[in-house]
Amino acid sequence: MKLPNLTPALLLLPSIPGAYCWGALGHQTVAYIATNFVQADTQTFFQGILNNKTSSYLAGVASWADSFRYTSAGRFSAPFHYIDAEDNPPASCGVRYARDCGEAGCIVAAIQNYTTQLLDPSLDAASLKMAAKFIIHFVGDIHQPLHVENLNMGGNGIHVNFSGTPTNLHHVWDTAIPEKLIGGYSLADAYKWADTLSTSIRSGAYKPLASEWLKGLDLSDPVATSLAWAEESNAYVCTTVLPNGVAGVQSQELSGAYYETAAPVIQLQIARAGYRLARWLDLIAAGVKTDL
Ligand SMILES: *[C@@H]1O[C@H](CO)[C@@H](O)[C@H](O)[C@H]1NC(C)=O
Ligand SMILES: *[C@@H]1O[C@H](CO)[C@@H](O)[C@H](O)[C@H]1NC(C)=O
Ligand SMILES: *[C@@H]1O[C@H](CO)[C@@H](O)[C@H](O)[C@H]1NC(C)=O
Ligand SMILES: [Zn+2]
């Protein structure tokens, strides 16, 4: 999703809360799910790096990267939130690292970069903290199908309506559908949503699937690991995001039938992201210990 180089004020953002990437609600929910599943040592490790001993140590920083990208100091990180899969939905979907990861970087390279940094015991505290905040955020973003799609700037250029309000398809996936589903966007809403999804992972509908979600996680190969997440996420562009191409959604109202098919995929992707983030943080914390 290459956004034109505009200042935030110039971007067309129909609603303020969580205006880009999974909105704050999605990112905080991913973070709280991870909080529910990390091991005790992992919690101690990241509470130390993030200098926050509350139960919101991950959720509180989960959408930081979305404000940072619009600052002059953080502009370099804007391309790290996505990978521009140059596929051809809905006829064919697919991600190719060499083709799709641009020279300025991409989400897969960023996950590798900041994972490697977290494993470096010689890194200073400020850089470790930034690396942790990036990982918490990017593992969320990579599970949003339109963060793994080049078409129309990841759907930012596809005009649609949602509940009678003109917006764009990217925003519908980041924010409008999650907020309609949950009925709010506060930290408390994220906490509750994470609780529901965590219960589903432990003992509900997601229980038989969750061990599959952790297959292929390999700390020694963050590119292969995150590319598999990207492939899975991007496949939804063909099946659920644009099953009838751009013409199927352009200028349409998406809060009805479209919402009904998209919302379950969004729930699944948020749950996967949170559960995988927990394991990824576990592997990092254990990896650092082994190195010492
Ligand atoms: C920890 O994070 C929470 C959530 O962002 C915040 O409310 C709290 O003030 C933070 N605590 C410290 C000590 O920074
Ligand atoms: C790796 O992280 C550093 C520090 O934030 C950044 O300057 C660099 O551009 C990153 N590289 C990639 C490939 O993401
Ligand atoms: C989209 O919203 C605009 C402005 O509210 C409205 O004029 C238009 O009829 C809507 N289109 C559909 C398909 O709902
Ligand atoms: Zn983002």
Side-chain angles (χ1 to χ4, degrees):
M1 182 202 52
K2 281 188 196 79
L3 278 173
N5 198 9
L6 301 174
T7 63
L10 290 174
L11 285 167
L12 255 179
L13 303 172
S15 88
I16 295 311
Y20 12 78
C21 306
W22 286 126
L25 176 65
H27 280 292
Q28 288 163 356
T29 304
V30 168
Y32 276 129
I33 295 169
T35 307
N36 288 339
F37 287 101
V38 288
Q39 292 172 5
D41 286 355
T42 306
Q43 174 176 327
T44 306
F45 179 77
F46 282 97
Q47 283 183 334
I49 287 181
L50 295 166
N51 192 23
N52 189 315
K53 301 233 181 309
T54 75
S55 57
S56 297
Y57 67 108
L58 299 178
V61 296
S63 51
W64 163 83
D66 279 337
S67 358
F68 184 60
R69 66 186 288 190
Y70 292 107
T71 65
S72 48
R75 191 165 297 148
F76 75 96
S77 65
F80 299 176
H81 294 249
Y82 53 84
I83 180 167
D84 277 334
E86 303 209 11
D87 52 359
N88 184 30
S92 72
C93 276
V95 187
R96 280 192 239 140
Y97 189 51
R99 179 192 65 187
D100 301 331
C101 191
E103 224 157 75
C106 70
I107 193 163
V108 172
I111 287 174
Q112 168 169 60
N113 189 26
Y114 293 110
T115 296
T116 307
Q117 290 184 28
L118 282 167
L119 292 167
D120 178 357
S122 70
L123 207 65
D124 62 281
S127 302
L128 281 175
K129 187 174 185 178
M130 186 160 96
K133 291 192 288 188
F134 274 138
I135 288 296
I136 294 159
H137 185 86
F138 295 147
V139 173
D141 273 348
I142 203 168
H143 286 79
Q144 207 278 51
L146 285 169
H147 280 251
V148 192
E149 179 53 53
N150 180 59
L151 188 75
N152 293 77
M153 299 184 295
N156 277 285
I158 302 175
H159 302 288
V160 301
N161 279 8
F162 198 87
S163 302
T165 305
T167 181
N168 69 69
L169 188 65
H170 190 94
H171 180 81
V172 164
W173 277 78
D174 272 350
T175 307
I177 294 175
E179 290 182 2
K180 178 178 163 79
L181 186 66
I182 299 311
Y185 48 81
S186 68
L187 197 61
D189 289 318
Y191 184 87
K192 264 199 297 191
W193 191 14
D195 205 46
T196 305
L197 295 176
S198 298
T199 301
S200 180
I201 291 169
R202 279 196 201 96
S203 54
Y206 292 149
K207 191 180 177 200
L209 310 174
S211 60
E212 287 290 318
W213 298 347
L214 301 183
K215 287 206 172 131
L217 267 73
D218 179 0
L219 188 65
S220 71
D221 197 345
V223 168
T225 301
S226 59
L227 211 48
W229 300 339
E231 276 284 345
E232 175 191 76
S233 182
N234 163 272
Y236 288 113
V237 176
C238 283
T239 59
T240 312
V241 181
L242 291 169
N244 303 307
V246 174
V249 294
Q250 189 95 55
S251 306
Q252 304 291 306
E253 171 57 57
L254 300 188
S255 65
Y258 186 90
Y259 166 86
E260 296 298 335
T261 63
V265 170
I266 287 178
Q267 300 236 59
L268 177 63
Q269 288 298 91
I270 295 275
R272 279 173 166 155
Y275 199 54
R276 284 168 173 162
L277 176 60
R279 178 60 66 89
W280 198 245
L281 298 182
D282 280 346
L283 291 172
I284 290 169
V288 171
K289 267 199 168 161
T290 316
D291 284 351
L292 291 178

